[in-house]
Amino acid sequence: MAELEKIIWISIILLIIISVKDRIKPALPIVLVSSGLVLSLTGIIPPIDMSPEIIFYAVLPPILFDAAWNTSIPDFKKELPVISVLAIGLVFLTTTIVAVIVHFIIPGFTWPLSFVLGAIISPPDAVAATGITKNFSLPQRLTTILEGESLLNDASALIAYKCAVIAIVSGMFSFWDAGVQFIGISLGGILIGVGMGAVFLKIHRYFNGHSNAETFAVILLPFAAYSLAEHLGCSGVLTVVVLGMLLSWNSFTLFSAGSRIQMSHFWEVIIFILNGLIFLILGMQLPTVISKIPYRELPVLILHGFFLFAVLVVIRFAVLALFPVFSHYTLKKKNTTVRPSKKDFIILSWSGMRGVVSLAAALALPVTDASGAAIGQRNTILFLSFVVIIFTLVIQGLTLPKLISRIKPVPSDKKEARELDILLLQKSIFFLKKDQYAHIMTENATKTMIEKLTREEMQLLNTVEENPDSQQTEWKKKYFDLELQLVEYQRKELMRSYHKGEFSLETVRKKEWELDFWTATVCHEMDSLQEQIR
C-alpha cells in the first residue's frame, strides 16, 4: 500500500475517532496513540514509514509557527525568567542527569549515547499538554508559561541532541566546543528569523492586500524559514519561533481583515490535522520498534523506561520547587513575584508529557558512524524513547485532567474582556468628538453613532458581574437563540429559492456568505457570554 494511500486511510480513521471522542473520557492524544497501536497490531493498516524529515520539515514548522503566532509577547516577556529556566536550564539539567544515570545503569551506553537519549526525552511536548488541558479554565499565567516553555525547549533539546550525535558519529566530544556550538546555533537561528521577518515586512506591500497571496506567503514562510536555518547549520526551531512572534506582533496593521480571518481558519484546520495524525502514527510505530528488541530484554528495558520517566518527574518537581531560591536576587530588583501558586505549581510540575519532538529525534538517530560502522544501542535508544513517551502520555495524560478538576486552579479574571470593550468604546467616543474629524461625516451621523456607543458603554458599566444568571444574561441568551433561528429560517428560504432557479448561484453564494458570517458572529457572542457565566 502506497504511503499516500495509508495517510488517506489514517485520516479517515482520525475523523471517525474524533467524531466519537466526546463519548470517551481520556484526552484525545491518549485515545489517538492507543488507536494507532490497535491499528498496527491488528494489521488493518500496514505500518507507515515515519521519516524524521517529515516530522522536522513538514510537521514541526507549522505547529511552532502557530504556537508563536498565538503567544502574547508582553506576557511572554513578563514570564521569561520562569520560561528560560524550564526551557533551557531544565532541559540541559535533565539531559545531563539522564545521561549520567543511563551511562551507569545500562550496559553498553557510552557517554555520547547516554547524552543522545537524555536530549531526546528531555523536552516536554506542547501539543500533548494543550491537547489535554484545553478544556479546562487555567490561569493565564500558567498557560503562558506552558506555551512559552514549549516554544524554546525544543530548540534547546535539539541543539543538545545535535552535539551528542556529532560526538557519536565523529567519536570526539568536547563540552567547550558543544557550548560554543550551542551559542552559535541559537544566535544564528534568532538572526535568521529576524532577517526573514524584516524582509517579509518590506516586500509585503507588493501583495496589494490580496488575501490569497498573503495567506499563501504566511503558510510558506515557516517551512522556508526552518529549511533555510537548518541548511545553514542554525536552529530552525528558533528561526520559526522568532519569525512567528515578529509577524504576530505586526499582524494588526500588516494584514487585511479578510487575510487575518482566512489565516485563522486555515491554521486551525492544519494544526488540528497535524496534531491528530502525529499521535495516531506515533501509536502505529510502537510494534515496529518492539520488533527490533530481543524479547528477553523487553521486561528489563521497560523497567528502565519507567525509571527514567520517574527521574523526569522528580527533576521537574525539584527545579520548579527550587526556582524561587536561585532566582531571588535577580527578580528582587524587578519587584516581581515568580513563584507560582501552590495549585499552579502542581499542574506545571505534572505537565511533562513527551511527544512529537522526542519521536522525531529518536527516529532521526543515524544508523552508522563516520567510519560506516553500525551505531550500537540505536534500537535500545529508540525503544526507551518510545517507552518514556508512552508512560508520560498514559500516566500523566490520564491523571492531569483529574488533578486539575480536583485542585480547581483559580482561572484568569473574566473582567478583562469587559474592561477592553469599555476602553475601546470610550476611545471611539473620544475619536468621534474630535473637531478635526467633523468634516468626514455629517453631524447627524456622528451624533447617532456617539449615542449608540454611549448606550453600549453604559450597559457594560451596569453589568452585574457577581450575578451571571441575572435577567440581562437570560435575555441575551434568548436574543442570540432568536437570531440563530432567524438565520436558519433565511437559509432555508435561500435554499428553496435557489432550488427553484429563481436566483443565480453567484447571488445565492454571496447571501450565504453573509448568513454564515452572521452565524459566526452570534456564536462568538454566545461563547463570550458563556465564558462570563463560568
Side-chain angles (χ1 to χ4, degrees):
M1 186 183 293
E3 297 301 312
L4 180 58
E5 189 178 353
K6 293 178 187 177
I7 293 292
I8 293 172
W9 282 107
I10 291 173
S11 301
I12 294 172
I13 293 171
L14 173 64
L15 287 174
I16 295 172
I17 294 171
I18 291 171
S19 65
V20 299
K21 167 63 187 69
D22 292 337
R23 304 174 188 176
I24 307 173
K25 289 186 178 180
L28 186 58
I30 301 168
V31 175
L32 292 173
V33 171
S34 304
S35 302
L37 181 59
V38 171
L39 288 174
S40 183
L41 291 174
T42 56
I44 296 176
I45 296 179
I48 186 169
D49 182 20
M50 177 50 70
S51 168
E53 284 77 16
I54 293 177
I55 299 178
F56 281 132
Y57 287 90
V59 175
L60 200 55
I63 290 176
L64 288 170
F65 187 84
D66 179 71
W69 181 280
N70 291 304
T71 296
S72 168
I73 296 179
D75 290 343
F76 182 86
K77 290 169 62 178
K78 191 186 302 181
E79 304 300 339
L80 191 57
V82 184
I83 293 171
S84 299
V85 168
L86 293 176
I88 301 175
L90 177 59
V91 166
F92 287 124
L93 180 65
T94 303
T95 300
T96 304
I97 293 177
V98 169
V100 172
I101 292 173
V102 168
H103 180 71
F104 286 108
I105 70 170
I106 303 180
F109 267 75
T110 62
W111 281 113
L113 287 172
S114 302
F115 272 98
V116 162
L117 180 57
I120 289 174
I121 64 175
S122 61
D125 182 60
V127 177
T130 54
I132 291 169
T133 61
K134 67 179 181 180
N135 294 325
F136 296 91
S137 241
L138 297 179
Q140 180 59 43
R141 185 181 179 219
L142 179 59
T143 303
T144 300
I145 293 172
L146 283 171
E147 293 176 349
E149 177 192 5
S150 69
L151 286 175
L152 301 182
N153 65 11
D154 292 345
S156 304
L158 289 177
I159 292 172
Y161 169 81
K162 285 181 180 179
C163 295
V165 169
I166 291 172
I168 292 174
V169 175
S170 64
M172 299 175 62
F173 182 76
S174 167
F175 278 104
W176 172 257
D177 292 341
V180 172
Q181 192 175 20
F182 171 77
I183 295 173
I185 291 174
S186 302
L187 289 178
I190 293 171
L191 290 175
I192 293 172
V194 172
M196 289 194 69
V199 170
F200 181 80
L201 293 178
K202 289 291 185 183
I203 67 173
H204 172 265
R205 64 177 181 270
Y206 295 109
F207 293 136
N208 297 319
H210 195 287
S211 297
N212 291 334
E214 288 182 335
T215 303
F216 179 66
V218 172
I219 293 168
L220 187 62
L221 270 175
F223 299 101
Y226 188 92
S227 179
L228 176 63
E230 290 295 321
H231 280 298
L232 294 176
C234 300
S235 172
V237 172
L238 285 178
T239 297
V240 174
V241 168
V242 170
L243 178 63
M245 285 186 166
L246 183 61
L247 294 187
S248 175
W249 183 257
N250 291 279
S251 64
F252 301 99
T253 56
L254 188 65
F255 302 110
S256 65
S259 295
R260 283 194 296 271
I261 294 173
Q262 191 166 288
M263 291 176 197
S264 174
H265 292 318
F266 175 84
W267 282 116
E268 188 176 348
V269 173
I270 288 298
I271 300 303
F272 168 79
I273 294 171
L274 290 177
N275 289 344
L277 286 178
I278 200 66
F279 282 108
L280 195 57
I281 294 174
L282 170 61
M284 296 180 67
Q285 298 294 307
L286 191 56
T288 304
V289 174
I290 293 175
S291 66
K292 298 178 181 179
I293 302 293
Y295 286 110
R296 65 180 181 277
E297 297 180 12
L298 285 176
V300 176
L301 289 178
I302 291 173
L303 287 176
H304 285 325
F306 181 78
F307 178 68
L308 290 177
F309 159 70
V311 169
L312 296 179
V313 172
V314 170
I315 294 173
R316 188 173 178 87
F317 265 99
V319 169
L320 283 168
L322 294 174
F323 173 71
V325 175
F326 55 75
S327 65
H328 174 71
Y329 296 105
T330 303
L331 298 164
K332 189 175 181 181
K333 299 176 183 177
K334 300 180 181 179
N335 193 26
T336 309
T337 303
V338 170
R339 184 174 192 132
S341 69
K342 188 175 292 186
K343 293 180 178 180
D344 294 353
F345 164 77
I346 294 173
I347 296 172
L348 194 59
S349 300
W350 199 240
S351 301
M353 287 72 71
R354 269 59 178 175
V356 176
V357 174
S358 296
L359 168 66
L363 292 171
L365 190 62
V367 178
T368 60
D369 58 20
S371 64
I375 294 177
Q377 306 296 342
R378 183 184 185 275
N379 291 334
T380 304
I381 291 174
L382 194 57
F383 179 76
L384 287 173
S385 301
F386 268 76
V387 170
V388 171
I389 292 172
I390 298 299
F391 272 133
T392 59
L393 286 175
V394 172
I395 297 177
Q396 291 182 306
L398 286 175
T399 56
L400 184 59
K402 296 179 181 178
L403 181 67
I404 296 174
S405 300
R406 180 175 291 273
I407 66 177
K408 295 181 175 62
V410 180
S412 300
D413 189 1
K414 299 300 182 184
K415 295 180 181 179
E416 188 180 60
R418 175 172 165 268
E419 291 171 356
L420 179 59
D421 288 338
I422 294 173
L423 173 65
L424 292 178
L425 285 170
Q426 291 173 342
K427 293 293 183 181
S428 299
I429 294 171
F430 174 76
F431 167 82
L432 292 172
K433 289 182 177 179
K434 291 170 74 172
D435 293 335
Q436 59 263 44
Y437 293 104
H439 66 282
I440 298 178
M441 54 198 81
T442 63
E443 183 178 350
N444 288 337
T446 304
K447 184 178 179 181
T448 302
M449 181 65 73
I450 291 175
E451 290 175 352
K452 177 179 179 294
L453 295 177
T454 303
R455 285 196 302 271
E456 292 181 11
E457 180 189 2
M458 293 304 298
Q459 287 177 357
L460 286 171
L461 291 171
N462 293 332
T463 300
V464 183
E465 291 291 329
E466 292 77 12
N467 185 18
D469 293 325
S470 62
Q471 291 183 350
Q472 186 178 16
T473 301
E474 289 300 321
W475 180 87
K476 284 184 178 180
K477 283 184 180 179
K478 293 178 180 179
Y479 182 83
F480 291 145
D481 287 337
L482 183 60
E483 275 194 293
L484 291 177
Q485 292 178 32
L486 181 60
V487 172
E488 190 59 31
Y489 176 78
Q490 288 192 19
R491 198 184 306 278
K492 289 179 180 178
E493 289 299 313
L494 180 70
M495 184 171 57
R496 183 186 61 79
S497 300
Y498 172 65
H499 288 167
K500 285 185 175 182
E502 296 175 355
F503 301 97
S504 67
L505 178 61
E506 182 181 1
T507 303
V508 169
R509 287 296 188 200
K510 287 181 180 179
K511 189 60 183 179
E512 182 186 39
W513 186 88
E514 293 176 10
L515 293 177
D516 290 342
F517 189 79
W518 186 5
T519 304
T521 302
V522 175
C523 290
H524 175 72
E525 293 289 342
M526 293 180 73
D527 290 341
S528 299
L529 183 64
Q530 195 63 35
E531 285 290 327
Q532 296 175 9
I533 297 174
R534 286 181 185 175

